[in-house]
């Protein structure tokens, strides 16, 4: 791939409204943008979507920057890489840190696509020209106003962030607005074994799925719950790798898996999990991380694969941010978002605005 240099930027994008879960509140979205340049002057872009505090996984923006700076970038610069799928093999000796790995690998994929003059969707074997979009309702949303607006925009699935003990009221509030709305809830691992009976009562509410009720890595309790209820259990934080996905399905701990490129360590792992689930007849969907258009473009490419049969956390650039760092911005049309068809991620980065929101940066040369 003839890599010449790698540039890191820590940026911060203002949010339209705070994004609130039971774990944390975000008023601004910090991100790390990774730029990999080749000797021909082309640039591949990736994004690290870790949060500022370790509430979702153990990674943070600070730890990801450190691991990129001290471990991952030196690996790329001292090795010859012909294809992005080689990067996971090269970084195998570095334990964990999937979001840092995913950000750098994403930039390699974008650069490779531009070199080959192929879109990421084409490189991965995508079959869709557009993908269905699903909305996330945070705890600060004014349900009636927001659901009405999101329905009008055409979102095809609604994910409701919940707080333990108040989930029934929240679900009923949404159903009062529209009793036929396809609703799932996202627990972000807040339940324990003592809540098992309470979770059984949610089975009668007609949810499309319950996402990650128990803590990350707990396949046992998820298996017990899935065996006891007909509502599909979906795993998110529990699946940090291909191996985790294999364990989850072998143990029958879920009926659905949420694939987030950044959580599983990159596009190569995301594709492998997709393929494994497809072989087992288990549907998957693409999760979101309140990310910029760079990550959104990567997500759209992955979501174009055939087994992404459930609308994902996919939205236009204007859903969370006043202004995105790409142009033209990603837009949704009647519940569908077009998969970029231009080489690489298929969108242009707004270099002027990217520079404006950059808080610190560093360049590494071969």
């Amino acid at each position: 791939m003839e890599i010449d240099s790698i540039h890191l930027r820590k940026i911060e994008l203002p949010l339209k409204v705070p994004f609130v879960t039971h774990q944390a509140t975000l008023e601004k979205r910090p991100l790390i943008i990774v730029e990999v340049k080749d000797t021909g002057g082309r640039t591949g872009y990736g994004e690290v979507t870790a949060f500022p505090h370790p509430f979702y996984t153990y990674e943070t923006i600070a730890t990801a920057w450190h691991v990129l700076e001290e471990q991952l970038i030196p690996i790329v610069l001292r090795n010859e890489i012909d294809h992005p799928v080689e990067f996971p093999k090269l970084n195998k000796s570095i334990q964990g840190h999937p979001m840092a790995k995913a950000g750098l690998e994403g930039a390699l994929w974008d650069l490779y696509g531009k070199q080959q003059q192929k879109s990421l969707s084409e490189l991965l074997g995508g079959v869709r020209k557009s993908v269905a979009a699903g909305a996330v309702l945070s705890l600060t949303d004014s349900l009636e106003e927001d659901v009405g607006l999101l329905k009008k925009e055409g979102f095809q699935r609604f994910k409701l962030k919940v707080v333990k003990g108040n989930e029934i009221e929240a679900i009923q509030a949404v159903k009062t607005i529209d009793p036929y709305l396809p609703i799932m809830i996202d627990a972000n691992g807040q339940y324990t074994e003592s809540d098992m009976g309470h979770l059984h009562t949610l089975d009668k509410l007609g949810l499309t799925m319950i996402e990650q009720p128990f803590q990350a890595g707990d396949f046992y309790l998820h298996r017990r719950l899935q065996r006891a209820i007909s509502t599909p259990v979906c795993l998110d934080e529990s699946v940090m790798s291909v191996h985790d996905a294999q364990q989850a399905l072998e143990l029958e701990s879920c009926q659905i898996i949420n694939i987030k490129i950044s959580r599983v360590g990159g596009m190569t792992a995301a594709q492998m999990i997709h393929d494994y689930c497809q072989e087992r007849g288990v549907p998957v969907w693409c999760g979101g991380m309140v990310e910029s258009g760079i990550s959104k473009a990567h997500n759209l490419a992955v979501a174009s694969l055939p087994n992404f049969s459930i609308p994902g956390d996919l939205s236009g650039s204007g859903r969370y941010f006043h202004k995105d760092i790409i142009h033209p911005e990603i837009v949704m049309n009647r519940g569908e978002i077009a998969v970029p068809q231009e080489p690489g991620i298929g969108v242009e980065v707004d270099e002027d605005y990217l520079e404006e929101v950059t808080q610190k940066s560093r360049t590494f040369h071969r």
Side-chain angles (χ1 to χ4, degrees):
M1 293 180 64
E2 299 182 331
I3 295 167
D4 178 65
S5 64
I6 299 175
H7 188 67
L8 291 184
R9 296 176 184 266
K10 180 180 179 292
I11 71 170
E12 196 168 72
L13 295 177
L15 292 168
K16 286 182 174 179
V17 296
F19 188 83
V20 180
T21 73
H22 81 282
Q23 301 158 300
T25 298
L26 284 179
E27 294 185 353
K28 295 181 179 180
R29 183 59 166 113
L31 298 161
I32 296 173
I33 304 303
V34 185
E35 303 169 25
V36 178
K37 298 180 182 294
D38 69 7
T39 55
R42 288 164 293 214
T43 302
Y45 292 92
E47 182 174 320
V48 179
T49 62
F51 292 108
H53 305 291
F55 60 84
Y56 175 67
T57 69
Y58 59 82
E59 282 186 273
T60 67
I61 287 291
T63 64
W65 183 281
H66 171 73
V67 171
L68 282 162
E69 193 174 47
E70 299 295 330
Q71 303 291 331
L72 297 174
I73 289 174
I75 286 176
V76 172
L77 294 180
R78 69 172 176 256
N79 286 279
E80 294 297 329
I81 298 176
D82 295 320
H83 194 286
V85 296
E86 297 171 14
F87 180 58
K89 301 171 187 175
L90 292 172
N91 69 45
K92 197 171 183 180
S93 64
I94 299 173
Q95 299 300 311
H97 304 285
M99 293 187 181
K101 292 175 179 178
L104 182 47
E105 191 196 306
L108 292 172
W109 273 102
D110 181 30
L111 178 61
Y112 183 76
K114 289 169 179 172
Q115 291 174 338
Q116 300 298 314
Q117 286 295 295
K118 294 181 178 181
S119 70
L120 290 187
S121 176
E122 183 180 358
L123 289 173
L124 293 170
V127 297
R128 296 184 181 90
K129 299 301 182 184
S130 66
V131 296
V136 182
L137 299 169
S138 91
L139 298 179
T140 57
D141 288 324
S142 171
L143 284 180
E144 186 167 358
E145 178 182 349
D146 209 37
V147 169
L149 177 62
L150 295 171
K151 279 180 59 181
K152 187 176 180 179
E153 292 177 357
F155 283 97
Q156 299 184 39
R157 184 231 64 202
F158 291 77
K159 180 163 82 171
L160 186 61
K161 296 285 186 178
V162 295
V163 174
K164 183 169 69 174
N166 293 330
E167 58 279 272
I168 294 178
E169 290 81 356
I171 294 165
Q172 289 175 338
V174 175
K175 285 185 174 291
T176 298
I177 300 168
D178 184 345
Y180 302 105
L181 207 65
I183 307 170
M184 59 173 285
I185 62 170
D186 185 5
N188 289 120
Q190 63 186 290
Y191 299 102
T192 65
E193 185 174 12
S194 64
D195 300 309
M196 192 70 73
H198 174 61
L199 288 168
H200 290 177
T201 66
L202 305 181
D203 198 29
K204 61 185 178 182
L205 298 178
L207 300 171
T208 59
M209 69 185 86
I210 300 174
E211 183 181 4
Q212 195 65 44
F214 303 109
Q215 67 181 2
D218 192 328
F219 297 111
Y220 167 67
L221 288 179
H222 286 108
R223 173 178 175 168
R224 278 184 54 190
L225 178 64
Q226 186 62 92
R227 287 187 166 189
I229 64 174
S230 58
T231 303
V233 171
C234 171
L235 291 186
D236 178 356
E237 293 97 319
S238 284
V239 179
M240 300 282 288
S241 65
V242 176
H243 181 65
D244 286 342
Q246 292 169 341
Q247 283 195 94
L249 298 192
E250 289 296 331
L251 293 171
E252 299 179 347
S253 299
C254 64
Q255 294 180 11
I256 299 170
I257 287 181
N258 168 349
I259 298 178
K260 291 178 179 171
I261 297 172
S262 60
R263 193 194 68 236
V264 302
M267 295 185 70
T268 302
Q271 184 179 32
M272 292 173 67
I273 293 171
H274 164 275
D275 293 348
Y276 184 79
C277 290
Q278 185 175 34
E279 292 170 3
R280 300 292 299 268
V282 174
V284 298
W285 56 279
C286 184
M289 293 285 288
V290 192
E291 61 263 282
S292 84
I294 291 174
S295 272
K296 286 181 184 295
H298 284 89
N299 289 345
L300 290 169
V302 167
S304 71
L305 292 168
N307 196 40
F308 281 88
S309 56
I310 298 170
D313 290 341
L314 303 168
S315 59
S317 295
R319 170 71 172 135
Y320 298 113
F321 304 119
H322 292 285
K323 184 177 181 180
D324 204 344
I325 56 174
I326 63 165
H327 57 80
E329 293 189 341
I330 292 171
V331 297
M332 185 182 66
N333 182 22
R334 297 180 181 179
E336 297 275 334
I337 301 177
V339 177
Q341 300 299 310
E342 297 299 313
I345 58 175
V347 296
E348 296 293 327
V349 173
D350 185 337
E351 296 287 353
D352 291 337
Y353 187 56
L354 180 61
E355 186 65 36
E356 182 181 329
V357 296
T358 296
Q359 296 184 323
K360 72 172 181 176
S361 63
R362 183 179 174 186
T363 301
F364 305 79
H365 295 280
R366 184 178 288 276

